[in-house]
């Protein structure tokens, strides 16, 4: 069938915005924004609109028809982190983005990766894989007594050890800790050492500006505090790194051109880190989520989310047998807690049945942190700026009720 012309396109306008479901079900209290947040209606509408075009035109044709809107998504994400045009590549998720960045570093046997004791588990697994296969060494900087990496000690290690790469998680998945990354990034920039920032939990929760945190790479996801869709993320690559010719280990035809029998030429901008096949509907949803965050204001979001988390810690501490686990000079919107009466893994489904959405973290995802705290697992509760004080009070009340039932049944 021939492709529809302009008249056919205009005959099929974008579908109306999805209804506002953010608080349409008051019996459900969402405290799992660190896992997957609640998408705003306009994000849902953006995704559905593109899927409608794909159904009417075909995937390739829909992409071409909405290329202007897709370019706007790039600009929105760049604006979100203060990045210059052409320095953001869309990815499937933060882990893929992190792996793409890691693959661009020209490691040699004996090279050192310097990181922290509060790094994300998938990142640590990748480092250990490099260690096993290629003889890369991994060293973790010490923590401060109050929690979180000792930035001064880490900077001293950067100066003394000259690592091939420094990598930090801005906010770990296992606690509310917000690590001090700016001075470390500055020290790496001064010494010409690549700095890879995992901003998976900080993007959308707080201001993150690559001008103030001069990282070489920044990996992030859309589904968490940014309130975008699952299956979408992005990678920022510093312009100096692009100009220096850093490329992923396994580019495809979107990221490079095959220009001679034994010669490829990378794309001139960050898209050299992208793959050909994309869920463009999710990319558009990510762009819309970034626009909403910018319109709301990242400082406003941070104040609201962190304030709700601080209040939640106070409420949880009043429950008999509760131990709030978060430590650090600066605490964000992730709250972790252990209860004497029940295991976290048992609490999550019980709380979901009562209308409270949460998650739990096992020791294997926070090996150093949880060993030091002496816990096997923890309940993770993550409010956002859209969470209300009433929801927090109701959630804690339901947690108490669930604990009572589990205690009575002998589960725990």
């Amino acid at each position: 069938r021939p492709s529809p012309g302009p008249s056919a396109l205009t005959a099929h306008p974008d579908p109306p915005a999805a209804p506002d479901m953010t608080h349409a079900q008051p019996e459900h209290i969402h405290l799992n924004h660190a896992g997957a947040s609640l998408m705003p209606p306009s994000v849902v509408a953006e995704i559905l609109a593109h899927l409608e075009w794909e159904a009417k035109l075909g995937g390739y044709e829909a992409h071409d028809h909405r290329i202007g809107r897709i370019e706007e998504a790039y600009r929105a994400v760049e604006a979100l982190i203060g990045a210059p045009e052409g320095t953001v590549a869309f990815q499937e998720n933060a882990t893929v983005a992190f792996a793409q960045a890691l693959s661009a570093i020209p490691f040699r046997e004996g090279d050192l990766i310097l990181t922290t004791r509060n790094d994300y588990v998938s990142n640590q697994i990748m480092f250990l894989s490099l260690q096993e296969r290629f003889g890369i060494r991994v060293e973790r900087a010490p923590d401060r007594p109050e929690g979180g990496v000792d930035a001064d000690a880490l900077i001293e290690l950067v100066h003394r050890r000259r690592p091939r790469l420094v990598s930090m998680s801005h906010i770990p998945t296992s606690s509310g800790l917000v690590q001090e990354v700016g001075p470390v990034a500055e020290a790496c920039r001064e010494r010409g050492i690549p700095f890879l920032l995992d901003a998976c939990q900080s993007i959308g929760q707080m201001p993150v500006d690559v001008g103030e945190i001069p990282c070489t790479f920044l990996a992030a996801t859309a589904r968490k505090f940014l309130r975008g869709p699952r299956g979408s993320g992005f990678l920022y690559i510093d312009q100096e790194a692009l100009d220096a010719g850093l490329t992923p280990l396994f580019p495809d035809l979107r990221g490079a051109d095959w220009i001679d029998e034994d010669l490829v030429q990378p794309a001139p901008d960050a898209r050299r880190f992208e793959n050909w096949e994309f869920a463009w509907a999710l990319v558009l949803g990510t762009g819309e989520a970034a626009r909403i965050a910018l319109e709301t204001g990242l400082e406003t979001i941070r104040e609201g989310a962190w304030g709700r988390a601080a209040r939640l810690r106070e409420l949880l501490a009043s429950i008999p047998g509760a131990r709030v686990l978060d430590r650090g000079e600066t605490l964000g919107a992730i709250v972790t807690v252990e209860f004497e009466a029940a295991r976290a893994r048992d609490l999550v489904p019980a709380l979901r049945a009562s209308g409270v959405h949460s998650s739990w973290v096992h020791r294997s995802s926070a090996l150093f942190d949880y060993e030091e705290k002496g816990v096997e697992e923890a309940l993770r509760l993550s409010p956002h700026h859209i969470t209300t004080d009433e929801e927090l009070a109701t959630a804690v009340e339901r947690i108490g009720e669930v604990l009572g039932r589990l205690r009575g049944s002998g589960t725990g």
Side-chain angles (χ1 to χ4, degrees):
R1 189 173 65 179
S3 298
S7 60
L9 294 176
T10 55
H12 298 286
D14 288 349
D20 187 350
M21 299 297 291
T22 302
H23 290 100
Q25 296 177 301
E27 70 275 16
H28 294 295
I29 300 171
H30 195 75
L31 295 178
N32 195 19
H33 295 278
S37 196
L38 301 174
M39 290 186 291
S42 61
V43 171
V44 177
E46 192 73 43
I47 295 167
L48 293 178
H50 191 77
L51 292 177
E52 287 280 347
W53 283 117
E54 288 192 349
K56 294 167 184 173
L57 304 180
Y60 286 13
E61 292 79 5
H63 169 269
D64 292 344
H65 175 57
R66 305 198 77 207
I67 189 64
R69 190 64 171 166
I70 290 170
E71 288 299 318
E72 289 175 8
Y74 281 97
R75 302 293 87 79
V77 172
E78 289 162 353
L80 180 73
I81 60 172
E85 185 173 330
T87 57
V88 164
F90 281 110
Q91 306 285 322
E92 293 92 330
N93 53 61
T95 298
V96 170
F98 192 93
Q100 284 286 79
L102 200 59
S103 78
I105 306 298
F107 288 112
R108 298 290 183 269
E109 184 176 358
D111 281 346
L112 175 67
I113 295 175
L114 188 57
T115 184
T116 78
R117 295 169 59 85
N118 291 282
D119 201 33
Y120 181 51
V121 55
S122 293
N123 305 346
Q124 293 280 348
I125 290 171
M126 290 186 210
F127 298 155
L128 295 176
S129 178
L130 287 170
Q131 181 174 271
E132 180 181 353
R133 290 194 179 194
F134 304 112
I136 306 303
R137 296 173 296 132
V138 181
E139 185 171 342
R140 302 169 186 91
D143 283 344
R144 291 175 175 171
E146 63 270 25
V149 70
D150 185 329
D152 293 334
L154 179 50
I155 292 170
E156 174 62 24
L157 287 171
V158 170
H159 174 71
R160 184 163 45 86
R161 302 299 301 278
R162 303 295 295 184
R164 175 68 72 178
L165 174 71
V166 176
S167 177
M168 292 182 67
S169 289
H170 202 174
I171 300 175
T173 192
S174 56
S175 79
L177 171 69
V178 181
Q179 300 213 90
E180 188 178 9
V181 298
V184 180
E186 288 280 3
C188 291
R189 173 60 58 89
E190 292 171 1
R191 294 163 176 79
I193 296 170
F195 181 77
L196 171 53
L197 179 64
D198 180 347
C200 189
Q201 294 288 5
S202 56
I203 290 294
Q205 180 184 153
M206 59 184 289
V208 179
D209 191 312
V210 296
E212 298 176 2
I213 306 171
C215 48
T216 311
F217 299 100
L218 179 150
T221 191
R223 76 179 190 273
K224 297 181 183 289
F225 289 94
L226 187 56
R227 302 181 67 202
R230 291 193 75 176
S232 181
F234 62 88
L235 175 67
Y236 160 79
I237 306 97
D238 176 66
Q239 188 62 55
E240 287 188 14
L242 293 171
D243 293 342
L246 287 188
T247 59
L249 183 58
F250 299 112
D252 78 350
L253 76 165
R254 180 170 176 81
D257 292 324
W258 192 15
I259 60 176
D260 205 347
E261 182 177 354
D262 295 314
L263 185 64
V264 297
Q265 179 174 299
D269 59 12
R271 298 183 203 202
R272 71 181 65 165
F273 284 83
E274 293 181 346
N275 290 317
W276 168 258
E277 190 56 33
F278 263 113
W280 289 108
L282 303 185
V283 167
L284 288 163
T286 301
E288 177 62 14
R291 281 187 287 271
I292 291 172
L294 287 166
E295 290 169 3
T296 305
L298 274 303
E299 292 85 358
T300 298
I301 293 173
R302 174 176 58 187
E303 181 180 354
W306 290 14
R308 301 295 188 279
R311 177 57 180 157
L312 182 55
R313 291 187 187 98
E314 293 175 356
L315 292 171
L316 290 169
S318 68
I319 297 177
R323 179 162 72 107
V324 178
L325 302 171
D326 305 308
R327 297 172 58 241
E329 183 177 340
T330 303
L331 297 179
I334 295 177
V335 178
T336 53
V337 59
E338 179 191 40
F339 297 98
E340 292 179 357
R343 299 183 305 178
R345 69 184 72 189
D346 298 321
L347 277 172
V348 169
L351 286 172
R352 187 173 296 172
S354 75
V356 177
H357 299 167
S358 63
S359 59
W360 66 285
V361 181
H362 187 260
R363 168 184 169 277
S364 60
S365 291
L367 194 63
F368 300 116
D369 185 28
Y370 281 14
E371 280 191 351
E372 184 176 322
K373 293 172 179 174
V375 295
E376 185 69 17
E377 58 192 52
L379 182 71
R380 187 180 72 177
L381 303 163
S382 45
H384 211 323
H385 75 289
I386 61 173
T387 308
T388 67
D389 289 336
E390 181 181 1
E391 286 176 321
L392 293 180
T394 301
V396 172
E397 180 181 344
R398 292 181 185 176
I399 289 171
E401 293 170 353
V402 168
L403 286 169
R405 290 198 298 271
L406 292 176
R407 189 183 298 111
S409 67
T411 305

